[in-house]
């Protein structure tokens, strides 16, 4: 495993109006100038929306049949590089992406839509955006920040929830992120906007939708095999998808593959927090047609 002993909890900084940590801005010039290719597929998400789930699904759809060695020997963060990643002692996300030998290249980003390198739009790349309801995202992000020693300290749950509502999160406000891509989709047709809740409800159907967006004619048996392979329990056991070996993740505090559920927010939000959150949410989301399910 890689041991970047210099990775430690970073402070939030303001970066072009977005709360960030330096690990995702240190390589900014190279990120901004990243040269996308027309076949590249950008997997864009707010953190904790199911990025890893959809990344693994796409990797299996493209390379599951032809390159099984890849799935059994390369962790997901090497198969699907995280573009803005710049952790000391680890390869840069941009370098990993540049070196990917595959076509298409699958590339992950958490950048809000206005910060995505412009070559992705110029090359008319396919973009798969995954969104997850705000409440479950907040809970998942809280546990992630507890165990991820590169992230700002989350504090207690109430403190964290107030920061979430305030947009004082790495990659900025959830509200602007999900709405920003939703608006972009109105004019950029090569985007597939999908939901964690739908993946959880009927993975097979979402895999079929992905295939039609990607123009893949994956046979139904293969789609079924992939649907099994991306099940929570399977991915949790799989060291190539559960982030085992990343030294700054403390699995004693919380696993990366934590629960994988829709509606876990109910075990965290108090009645008062829920009322306050709902009221604030209505304000924030009043001018969008975007709708989320918080239970299935
Ligand atoms: P929880 O913390 O709610 O369990 P990301 O990959 O964007 O960081 O998202 C991580 C979240 O997605 C975690 O949510 C994780 O458990 C969940 N997840 C990852 N793989 C999953 C799968 N195969 N099925 C269901 N949930 C999954």
């Amino acid at each position: 495993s890689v041991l970047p002993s210099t990775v430690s909890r970073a402070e939030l900084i303001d970066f072009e109006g977005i709360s960030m940590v330096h690990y995702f801005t240190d390589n900014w010039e190279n990120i901004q100038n990243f040269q996308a290719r027309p076949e590249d597929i950008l997997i864009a998400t707010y953190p904790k929306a199911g990025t890893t789930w959809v990344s693994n699904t796409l990797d299996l759809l493209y390379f599951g049949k032809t390159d099984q060695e890849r799935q059994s020997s390369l962790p997901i963060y090497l198969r699907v590089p995280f573009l803005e990643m710049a952790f000391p002692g680890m390869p840069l996300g941009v370098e990993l992406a540049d070196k990917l030998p595959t076509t298409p290249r699958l590339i992950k980003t958490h950048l809000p839509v206005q910060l995505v390198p412009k070559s992705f739009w110029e090359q008319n790349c396919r973009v798969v955006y995954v969104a997850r309801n705000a409440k479950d995202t907040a809970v998942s992000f809280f546990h992630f920040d507890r165990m991820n020693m590169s992230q700002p300290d989350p504090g207690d749950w109430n403190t964290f929830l107030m920061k979430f509502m305030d947009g004082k999160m790495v990659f900025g406000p959830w509200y602007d992120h999900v709405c920003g891509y939703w608006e972009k989709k109105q004019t950029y047709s090569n985007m597939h906007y999908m939901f964690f809740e739908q993946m959880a409800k009927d993975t097979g159907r979402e895999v079929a939708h992905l295939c039609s967006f990607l123009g893949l004619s994956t046979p139904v048996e293969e789609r079924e095999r992939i649907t099994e392979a991306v099940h929570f329990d399977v991915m949790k056991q799989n060291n190539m998808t559960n982030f085992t070996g990343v030294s700054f993740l403390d699995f004693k505090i919380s696993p990366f593959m934590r629960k994988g559920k829709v509606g876990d927010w109910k075990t965290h939000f108090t009645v008062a927090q829920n009322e306050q959150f709902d009221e604030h949410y209505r304000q924030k989301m009043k001018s969008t047609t975007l709708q989320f399910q918080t239970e299935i």
Side-chain angles (χ1 to χ4, degrees):
S1 81
V2 274
L3 270 172
S5 55
T6 43
V7 173
S8 59
R9 289 196 180 280
E11 297 286 318
L12 273 192
I13 51 169
D14 179 87
F15 184 78
E16 314 217 357
I18 298 294
S19 298
M20 280 290 230
V21 288
H22 72 90
Y23 298 122
F24 305 129
T25 61
D26 281 349
N27 193 33
W28 192 249
E29 200 158 299
N30 293 322
I31 295 164
Q32 212 176 16
N33 295 323
F34 181 75
Q35 289 304 305
R37 302 178 196 148
E39 319 78 46
D40 289 348
I41 299 172
L42 188 66
I43 301 168
T45 61
Y46 192 73
K48 313 324 287 175
T51 328
T52 314
W53 197 0
V54 171
S55 297
N56 196 35
T57 304
L58 288 198
D59 192 68
L60 287 168
L61 277 170
Y62 278 102
F63 313 112
K65 257 265 167 8
T66 52
D67 193 355
Q68 278 164 6
E69 163 101 31
R70 182 178 160 83
Q71 279 81 36
S72 57
S73 64
L74 280 181
I76 191 70
Y77 50 83
L78 297 180
R79 282 181 268 148
V80 183
F82 181 13
L83 188 65
E84 54 271 26
M85 177 176 94
F87 291 115
M90 289 173 81
L92 296 165
V94 164
E95 278 172 15
L96 289 172
D98 279 336
K99 285 193 202 130
L100 276 183
T102 58
T103 305
R105 303 187 295 183
L106 306 174
I107 299 171
K108 156 186 163 180
T109 187
H110 289 317
L111 292 171
V113 70
Q114 71 275 18
L115 296 182
V116 168
K118 62 180 185 317
S119 64
F120 285 100
W121 312 120
E122 288 167 355
Q123 299 295 325
N124 195 34
C125 295
R126 287 193 172 93
V127 178
V128 174
Y129 187 78
V130 192
R132 186 182 192 182
N133 80 76
K135 292 178 183 178
D136 283 329
T137 299
V139 168
S140 183
F141 212 160
F142 172 64
H143 290 289
F144 186 62
D145 280 2
R146 290 172 56 235
M147 63 87 79
N148 185 334
M149 297 306 147
S150 72
Q151 286 282 109
D153 192 317
D156 64 21
W157 163 242
N158 193 63
T159 306
F160 182 86
L161 187 61
M162 297 306 128
K163 282 192 283 191
F164 182 92
M165 290 163 63
D166 208 17
K168 296 283 182 287
M169 308 290 295
V170 180
F171 297 106
W174 174 91
Y175 313 88
D176 297 356
H177 206 283
V178 295
C179 292
Y181 280 91
W182 183 252
E183 270 165 40
K184 179 80 181 175
K185 183 185 147 62
Q186 315 310 317
T187 53
Y188 186 81
S189 58
N190 225 0
M191 187 189 303
H192 180 66
Y193 198 107
M194 61 185 289
F195 296 91
F196 182 99
E197 293 75 23
Q198 295 299 317
M199 265 299 266
K201 196 171 179 179
D202 191 344
T203 311
R205 196 183 57 184
E206 290 308 303
V207 170
H209 285 164
L210 277 168
C211 287
S212 68
F213 170 69
L214 300 167
L216 297 174
S217 51
T218 312
V220 65
E221 315 80 64
E222 178 62 6
R223 288 201 319 250
E224 280 166 6
R225 194 186 73 80
I226 292 170
T227 300
E228 293 296 308
V230 302
H231 190 277
F232 180 80
D233 301 333
V234 177
M235 281 182 59
K236 188 179 170 75
Q237 294 309 314
N238 181 350
N239 285 348
M240 295 299 127
T241 55
N242 63 16
F243 283 83
T244 294
V246 178
S247 65
F248 56 84
L249 303 181
D250 189 342
F251 295 90
K252 291 194 298 296
I253 298 177
S254 179
F256 180 89
M257 300 287 300
R258 195 182 58 90
K259 287 194 180 170
K261 288 204 174 117
V262 179
D264 188 44
W265 61 270
K266 290 175 189 172
T267 66
H268 287 69
F269 281 66
T270 65
V271 172
Q273 284 169 345
N274 197 38
E275 281 171 4
Q276 190 186 352
F277 192 90
D278 283 347
E279 176 58 31
H280 175 260
Y281 187 93
R282 270 192 292 275
Q283 291 298 319
K284 284 295 206 186
M285 302 292 277
K286 66 169 182 278
S287 52
T288 180
T289 55
L290 179 59
Q291 301 252 320
F292 284 89
Q293 288 178 280
T294 54
E295 51 200 321
I296 51 170

